[in-house]
Amino acid sequence: MPFQLRQRLYNRLRSMQNLNPARIVVTSFAIVILTGALLLMLPIASRDGQVTPFLTCLFTATSSTCVTGLIMVDTWVHWTLFGQIVIILMIQLGGLGFMTVITLASFALRRRIGLSERLIMVSTLNLNDMDGVVRVVRHALMGTFLFEGVGAILLTFCFIPQYGALGGIWRGIFHSISAFCNAGFDLLGNNGAFTSLLSYNGNPVVLLTIMSLIVIGGLGFFVWEDIFRHWRQPRSLSLYTKMVLLLTGALIVGGALFFLAVEWDNPATLGEMPLWEKILNGFFQSVTLRTAGFDSIGQGGLRDSSLAMSCILMLIGGSSGSTAGGLKTATVGILLLTIRATLAGRSEVTLRGRAISHRRVMNAMTLTLMVVFLFMVSSMLLSTVDGLPFLSAAFEVASAMGTVGLTVGITPGLSLFSRGVLVFLMYVGRVGILSFSITFLTRSKYPAKIKYPTFDIMIG
């Protein structure tokens, strides 16, 4: 190898070592997306043996890696087994996080985890410190394969009668990973393209299994670890875990009751179902909006109020350090506590006798304002460019930003510009929000050198 080439490679490796955690996350996701898009362009990846257009492959790769679920072409109808394997590998990489997978390789090779890797793992999982981070990641990997394995077995038994042994096993594995990683990709296109779980909305085993995988995957690895260590003494759970469990339960139950009330007599969704099926699909709708993207009732038939509530739930998403996207439950919890403290006239935001730092409160407010601003601007862009009703455009935007993957049926017919907007939003929704959190977690705090005089300003 020429000396100049060796020196160039050496300098490149040195520069990569100096990247901060946020840049590593952004770069690793971009590399996975680009590699996946190029693999999907190969003729062996499509059923017609032709090269799939790059934008379609890029859209699919971004949706897979960012565990979103929005698609331009039906996964079963268009992609071969090779293409499906590429997609599910990107989903697993995107769901677990690039550094978590690298850690798995280090465990397999019995290599010691270095300090820099531990820092990146802490940042990627949104932990507060490096205490026990390797243990958390090890348990996260073990739990992931355990839950995905159990889910695959249950789903396989449901799919074998219709698809045979091999087809049932493959669909069981694929849908278990897709559900746990909150991706929403499916291989049920033989029942009709873009139908998702519509043909299984009366199968309680399939829906309950997928719901359980979605919820478990969306709780977050830190919550897993906390529950694992204190399952015999629930009162010893951290305040963060209690907040996540409380908000998760409230959002699921509250969302289900809302959809049951609004869609109860809607013939396009729940109206024609028997009582038990209405309740089951009402809860499934509430759960799948937590960034999963599986559809059992047909989102295009939802009433306007349900579309608006769906946008709210999709933007909230799951919990920090999980396979889910969105603002995260803890962020919303901090906002609610801030509102409570402000209305009560208190200067500190507290929870059960503990104060939440001003920095955390400001980070939560900043992140929320950024997401809401981007959501509104993008919704208006799609509505204007493609001539869509605003709620339909807002639904697609919230689905992309929250890495959900549900659609009212307009995604395949969007213009080139709108498709590019959704690709950007999927990347921002998964990588941008994560990088934002990492940046605020890892940056140093510098005391102010100048203290400025204050002034009053009218509010409201």
Side-chain angles (χ1 to χ4, degrees), residues 19-50:
L19 289 174
N20 62 37
R23 290 181 181 176
I24 290 177
V25 170
V26 171
T27 304
S28 62
F29 270 85
I31 291 173
V32 173
I33 290 171
L34 183 58
T35 303
L38 295 176
L39 289 174
L40 291 176
M41 286 185 68
L42 297 175
I44 192 177
S46 62
R47 291 192 182 276
D48 59 7
Q50 303 296 318

Side-chain angles (χ1 to χ4, degrees), residues 22-287:
R23 290 181 181 176
I24 290 177
V25 170
V26 171
T27 304
S28 62
F29 270 85
I31 291 173
V32 173
I33 290 171
L34 183 58
T35 303
L38 295 176
L39 289 174
L40 291 176
M41 286 185 68
L42 297 175
I44 192 177
S46 62
R47 291 192 182 276
D48 59 7
Q50 303 296 318
V51 176
T52 304
F54 175 72
L55 182 57
T56 301
C57 295
L58 180 65
F59 193 99
T60 304
T62 305
S63 184
S64 303
T65 307
C66 298
V67 291
T68 304
L70 287 175
I71 51 176
M72 304 302 304
V73 293
D74 186 86
T75 308
W76 171 259
V77 173
H78 184 82
W79 305 110
T80 62
L81 178 62
F82 174 82
Q84 295 165 20
I85 291 174
V86 171
I87 289 172
I88 202 63
L89 288 177
M90 287 189 290
I91 290 173
Q92 190 76 87
L93 279 172
L96 286 177
F98 186 74
M99 278 309 302
T100 307
V101 176
I102 294 298
T103 306
L104 175 62
S106 299
F107 289 153
L109 297 174
R110 299 183 181 278
R111 188 175 66 85
R112 189 175 183 276
I113 309 297
L115 181 61
S116 59
E117 292 170 309
R118 291 170 187 258
L119 176 61
I120 298 171
M121 288 155 58
V122 167
S123 303
T124 304
L125 296 178
N126 280 351
L127 301 178
N128 290 324
D129 52 53
M130 287 188 291
D131 183 29
V133 63
V134 176
R135 182 186 66 251
V136 172
V137 173
R138 183 185 291 111
H139 289 169
L141 292 169
M142 293 169 60
T144 295
F145 297 132
L146 172 63
F147 292 126
E148 289 180 349
V150 173
I153 293 172
L154 293 174
L155 292 174
T156 295
F157 283 116
C158 296
F159 292 140
I160 281 180
Q162 182 176 355
Y163 301 104
L166 292 179
I169 292 172
W170 172 233
R171 283 172 175 80
I173 295 172
F174 188 98
H175 290 92
S176 180
I177 295 175
S178 182
F180 180 82
C181 292
N182 284 214
F185 279 79
D186 68 88
L187 298 179
L188 305 175
N190 59 302
N191 297 322
F194 306 105
T195 55
S196 192
L197 295 177
L198 289 176
S199 58
Y200 286 91
N201 59 15
N203 190 317
V205 177
V206 171
L207 294 191
L208 289 173
T209 300
I210 289 181
M211 286 168 62
S212 300
L213 290 169
I214 292 169
V215 172
I216 293 171
L219 285 178
F221 302 136
F222 175 80
V223 175
W224 290 11
E225 181 70 16
D226 201 22
I227 293 175
F228 176 76
R229 295 175 63 183
H230 302 107
W231 66 274
R232 291 184 178 179
Q233 297 177 320
R235 293 185 178 181
S236 300
L237 294 173
S238 67
L239 284 179
Y240 171 78
T241 299
K242 293 177 180 178
M243 177 192 288
V244 167
L245 293 177
L246 176 63
L247 288 174
T248 298
L251 288 170
I252 292 174
V253 175
L257 294 177
F258 178 89
F259 290 116
L260 287 172
V262 175
E263 302 293 328
W264 187 268
D265 59 348
N266 184 357
T269 54
L270 302 178
E272 304 298 328
M273 296 179 179
L275 176 61
W276 70 269
E277 201 169 316
K278 286 182 179 181
I279 296 174
L280 176 62
N281 283 273
F283 273 90
F284 187 87
Q285 174 71 5
S286 181
V287 170

